Amino acid sequence: MVYGDTRYYDKLHRMLVEKIIKEKPEFVLNVGDMVENGNDIRYWNNFLML
Ligand SMILES: [Fe+2]
């Protein structure tokens, strides 16, 4: 499974991850951009709290 550009769409990202889990993929690759600003810890905290 390959996906990306989740950026600041946290709720949409959560929904997408839940659907990916249901598919039971052998491998998942997020090609980025994972967060809007990688230098700001707040974005990573939101991303990692999925
Ligand atoms: Fe992008």
Side-chain angles (χ1 to χ4, degrees):
M1 183 81 65
V2 178
Y3 76 108
D5 272 327
T6 49
R7 291 179 177 237
Y8 38 73
Y9 301 108
D10 297 324
K11 289 180 182 174
L12 184 60
H13 188 198
R14 176 184 292 275
M15 290 171 46
L16 185 60
V17 168
E18 289 170 356
K19 290 184 182 294
I20 289 172
I21 290 170
K22 285 182 182 172
E23 294 293 324
K24 299 182 179 176
E26 293 183 28
F27 183 79
V28 178
L29 176 66
N30 184 333
V31 296
D33 306 310
M34 291 183 249
V35 297
E36 184 174 1
N37 180 352
N39 293 320
D40 189 330
I41 191 68
R42 293 173 297 177
Y43 292 104
W44 289 110
N45 286 338
N46 284 340
F47 180 83
L48 296 172
M49 292 299 285
L50 291 174

